[in-house]
């Protein structure tokens, strides 16, 4: 299990007894945090920081420990912040400043100067907050008694977001083919992606995949078909078309495993040697947490993998989608979102159906795909665009709704949603912000999760939701 290190600040000015108490209280709090967070992350206490050297040792340890996804810091007493400068300069993990106390209430009858000197986070945490601000280190501050549910919830969120950032820093992205010809928003600076998020984005020829496909055995295809039959309703007699996708998925799986790849992008303009565009093959992989981006969109592929990781321990659906078309009935506007084929089965309201239909573009054989109506409920829509000198995240609150009427001739999976605060502001805001037509939708994550991810990775964030006013639209697209 991944872990958070807990680093508590003090100094030697108050004597040995005080430091013994600090260590005991910190151990007590660590045990409590472990009990509450055991399904998400483990918490490990490091030696109390009493001088610059202990701080360097603690934060250096956190920085190089592969199992450590982040650090929680708290000042039990006053801990002069110059002692923290060199350690913090070496810290390479997400940081949470927990502004709390070991005691919830003040012992009014017995409080004396010894108690005040021992329990002075109101004092020490401000000194510490200053040095974080002065050093410009991205971090999350959580205030409140550490046993309160809302404090624990915020620490859990930090662990989930930090875990996603850890995953991001180990993510390898495979691009089969390049970005779709002429398309702007799906493109981006892959060097900057690696510098900021750790993504190792590399190109592979689709022939590399075809080569593996040729070696897939009939028995492996049979096994994959049995998996499809158990998970999905077969609404086609064109078994050969489905078997072709099964073969493609086995090969993709092998390829991803061989190169330790967490997500991939492909393009219908580069399918040399493939008989079909990956449909069910991509969908079934997304169902297993593999990120996917069509038309060479490596950013949405990586973002979908990271947000699926962030949402792993929660209920709900998270995955890639494309904005497609609207019902513009006045006051009842809804958007129909889908893709040519590759809609994640996570969004299925019922058991997906396997169907085979022609594909209008790409010039290949009819691909098998899963078709379903989407889940409903509150959700967020998130995308990432490259503004030239920085990446920008855009996060909109939306509501997934039941499709107004059946669409029996639409041969792809689909979801339908309502914009917030209303159609005009929601969609005008997205356009002003330069939001892409590819995004990740999640009913498991919230704006607060994306805001924390943006903060900890130093990414510009634009949000749209119930609190967005018409006047805000004037500023959404501004260059910063
Ligand atoms: Mn697309």
């Amino acid at each position: 299990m991944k872990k958070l290190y807990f680093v508590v600040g003090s100094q030697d000015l108050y004597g040995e007894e005080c430091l013994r108490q600090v260590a005991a209280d910190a151990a007590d709090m660590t045990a409590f945090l472990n009990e509450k967070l055991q399904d998400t992350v483990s918490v490990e206490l490091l030696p109390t920081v009493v001088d610059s050297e202990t701080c360097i040792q603690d934060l250096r340890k956190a920085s190089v420990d592969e199992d450590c996804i982040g650090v929680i810091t708290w000042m039990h007493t006053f801990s002069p912040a110059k002692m923290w400068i060199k350690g913090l300069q070496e810290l390479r993990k997400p940081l949470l400043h927990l502004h709390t106390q070991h005691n919830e209430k003040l012992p009014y009858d017995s409080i004396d100067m010894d108690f005040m000197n021992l329990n002075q986070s109101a004092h020490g945490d401000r000194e510490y907050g200053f040095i974080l601000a002065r050093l410009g280190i991205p971090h999350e501050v959580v205030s409140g008694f550490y046993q309160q549910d809302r404090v624990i919830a915020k620490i859990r969120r930090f662990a989930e977001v930090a875990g996603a950032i850890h995953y991001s820093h180990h993510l390898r992205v495979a691009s089969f083919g390049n970005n779709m010809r002429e398309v702007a928003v799906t493109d981006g600076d892959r060097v900057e992606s690696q510098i900021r998020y750790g993504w190792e984005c590399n190109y592979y020829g689709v022939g590399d995949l075809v080569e593996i496909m040729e070696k897939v055995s009939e028995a492996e295809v049979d096994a994959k078909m049995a998996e499809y039959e158990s998970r999905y309703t077969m609404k086609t007699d064109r078994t050969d078309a489905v078997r072709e996708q099964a073969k493609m998925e086995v090969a993709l799986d092998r390829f991803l495993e061989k190169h330790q790849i967490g997500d991939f992008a492909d393009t219908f303009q580069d399918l040399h040697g493939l008989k079909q565009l990956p449909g069910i093959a991509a969908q079934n992989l997304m169902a297993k947490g593999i990120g996917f981006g069509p038309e060479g969109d490596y950013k949405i592929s990586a973002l979908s993998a990271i947000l699926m990781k962030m949402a792993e321990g929660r209920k709900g659906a998270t995955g890639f989608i494309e904005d497609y078309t609207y019902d513009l009935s006045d006051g009842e506007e809804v958007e129909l979102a889908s893709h040519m084929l590759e809609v994640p089965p996570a969004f299925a309201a019922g058991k997906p159906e396997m169907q085979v239909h022609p594909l209008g573009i790409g010039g290949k054989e009819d691909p098998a795909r899963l078709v379903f109506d989407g889940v409903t409920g509150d959700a967020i829509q998130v995308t990432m665009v490259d503004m030239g000198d920085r990446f920008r995240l855009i996060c909109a609150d939306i509501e997934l709704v039941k499709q107004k009427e059946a669409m029996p001739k639409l041969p792809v999976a689909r979801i339908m949603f309502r914009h917030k605060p209303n159609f005009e502001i929601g969609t005008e805001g997205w356009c002003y912000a330069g939001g892409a037509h590819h995004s990740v939708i999640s009913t498991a994550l919230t704006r607060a999760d994306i805001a924390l991810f943006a903060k900890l990775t130093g990414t510009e964030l634009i949000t749209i939701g119930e609190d967005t006013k018409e006047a805000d639209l004037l500023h959404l697209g501004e260059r910063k």
Side-chain angles (χ1 to χ4, degrees):
M1 178 176 271
K2 297 299 178 196
K3 68 184 162 196
L4 297 172
Y5 278 123
F6 186 29
V7 182
V8 176
S10 188
Q11 60 173 323
D12 53 17
L13 191 68
Y14 311 110
E16 276 305 311
E17 196 185 328
C18 175
L19 286 176
R20 268 195 298 277
Q21 194 58 49
V22 166
D25 291 348
D28 199 25
M29 291 166 71
T30 304
F32 183 86
L33 294 176
N34 269 311
E35 190 195 318
K36 289 289 179 180
L37 298 167
Q38 58 183 332
D39 51 346
T40 307
V41 73
S42 70
V43 181
E44 199 175 312
L45 182 63
L46 289 181
T48 306
V49 169
V50 292
D51 51 29
S52 187
E53 191 51 35
T54 45
C55 183
I56 292 168
Q57 293 304 330
D58 282 359
L59 298 188
R60 194 177 277 169
K61 180 170 182 178
S63 295
V64 299
D65 185 341
E66 260 305 302
D67 293 325
C68 169
I69 57 171
V71 174
I72 302 174
T73 47
W74 165 58
M75 305 304 121
H76 195 314
T77 71
F78 191 80
S79 183
K82 286 182 186 171
M83 296 182 340
W84 286 79
I85 293 173
K86 290 183 184 171
L88 286 167
Q89 282 176 323
E90 293 203 23
L91 182 63
R92 294 173 58 243
K93 297 288 166 79
L95 178 63
L96 172 69
H97 176 194
L98 181 58
H99 185 39
T100 190
Q101 290 182 169
H102 181 255
N103 55 304
E104 183 178 24
K105 298 183 183 356
L106 280 178
Y108 291 99
D109 291 343
S110 62
I111 187 166
D112 56 11
M113 283 312 293
D114 284 346
F115 182 92
M116 288 237 285
N117 282 331
L118 176 63
N119 301 286
Q120 53 172 321
S121 60
H123 185 189
D125 272 333
R126 280 174 167 76
E127 166 77 356
Y128 175 66
F130 163 72
I131 209 63
L132 290 178
R134 169 75 192 263
L135 291 170
I137 293 174
H139 64 286
E140 170 84 331
V141 185
V142 174
S143 291
F145 184 52
Y146 72 98
Q147 293 187 5
Q148 284 165 355
D149 287 347
R150 60 172 189 81
V151 172
I152 293 296
K154 284 184 178 177
I155 298 173
R156 176 175 285 109
R157 162 175 294 148
F158 173 79
E160 288 166 341
V161 172
I165 291 171
H166 180 86
Y167 177 77
S168 177
H169 280 281
H170 293 78
L171 190 57
R172 290 187 182 169
V173 185
S175 289
F176 293 108
N178 203 336
N179 192 66
M180 181 180 166
R181 287 189 280 276
E182 312 291 357
V183 177
V185 78
T186 48
D187 220 331
D189 183 342
R190 289 159 213 254
V191 175
E192 189 60 25
S193 296
Q194 183 162 348
I195 292 170
R196 186 157 295 272
Y197 307 110
W199 309 342
E200 295 176 36
C201 305
N202 285 301
Y203 165 91
Y204 294 90
V206 75
D208 295 335
L209 183 63
V210 172
E211 210 171 275
I212 301 174
M213 264 183 87
E214 284 164 356
K215 291 179 189 139
V216 173
S217 72
E218 286 302 297
E220 286 172 306
V221 174
D222 289 344
K224 185 54 73 180
M225 288 295 284
E227 183 191 327
Y228 289 167
E229 276 158 24
S230 70
R231 300 176 82 158
Y232 312 121
T233 304
M234 300 305 247
K235 274 283 178 88
T236 179
D237 49 14
R238 297 174 63 181
T239 311
D240 284 353
V242 184
R243 287 185 71 86
E244 190 63 25
Q245 291 281 338
K247 194 174 181 181
M248 211 172 327
E249 188 188 332
V250 172
L252 269 165
D253 230 351
R254 190 158 298 159
F255 179 86
L256 300 177
E257 178 71 31
K258 180 180 167 194
H259 298 281
Q260 289 296 296
I261 281 161
D263 69 277
F264 70 102
D266 63 15
T267 167
F268 64 88
Q269 288 173 328
D270 187 353
L271 295 174
H272 303 290
L274 293 185
K275 291 182 184 165
Q276 304 174 16
L277 176 65
I280 164 75
Q283 290 177 295
N284 206 46
L285 284 168
M286 284 191 267
K288 295 172 180 172
I290 298 294
F292 171 75
E295 291 104 61
D297 191 343
Y298 81 96
K299 296 196 302 301
I300 210 66
S301 179
L303 190 65
S304 67
I306 289 163
L307 297 189
M308 280 190 277
K309 174 61 73 179
M310 199 185 286
E312 217 168 50
R314 303 191 196 177
K315 287 201 182 76
T318 302
F320 154 80
I321 204 75
E322 175 165 276
D323 298 275
Y324 240 113
T325 188
Y326 296 124
D327 176 342
L328 292 179
S329 302
D330 196 14
E332 292 171 22
E333 293 91 344
V334 286
E335 174 169 340
L336 176 60
S338 182
H339 204 256
M340 291 191 298
L341 301 171
E342 315 90 334
V343 181
F347 291 132
K351 197 173 182 182
E353 289 182 357
M354 181 82 73
Q355 299 183 13
V356 178
H357 301 278
L359 190 65
I361 50 179
K364 291 284 171 175
E365 290 177 8
D366 302 351
R369 82 288 303 272
L370 297 172
V371 180
F372 53 82
D373 292 345
V375 292
T376 58
D378 285 331
I380 52 168
Q381 181 177 26
V382 192
T383 194
M384 178 186 274
V385 293
D386 184 343
M387 300 303 285
D389 55 357
R390 68 200 184 282
F391 288 107
R392 169 181 281 179
L393 282 165
I394 301 150
C395 177
D397 293 328
I398 58 169
E399 183 192 1
L400 298 181
V401 296
K402 202 170 173 336
Q403 63 184 58
K404 286 186 178 181
E405 291 174 38
M407 293 176 274
K409 293 196 170 166
L410 189 65
V412 286
R414 75 299 293 256
I415 58 176
M416 197 162 251
F417 64 89
R418 195 176 67 74
H419 298 84
K420 291 183 180 179
N422 55 44
F423 178 77
E424 298 96 303
I425 293 178
T427 56
E428 287 170 15
W430 191 270
C431 288
Y432 278 123
H437 57 268
H438 286 168
S439 62
V440 180
I441 280 181
S442 176
T443 61
L445 301 172
T446 66
R447 188 202 295 198
D449 299 313
I450 305 305
L452 183 53
F453 177 80
K455 182 159 65 176
L456 294 175
T457 57
T459 310
E460 182 188 9
L461 172 68
I462 290 176
T463 62
I464 302 166
E466 290 295 355
D467 54 346
T468 307
K469 304 280 181 289
E470 196 166 351
D472 298 331
L473 298 179
L474 294 169
H475 311 291
L476 285 185
E478 276 175 0
R479 289 201 73 81
K480 295 222 170 105

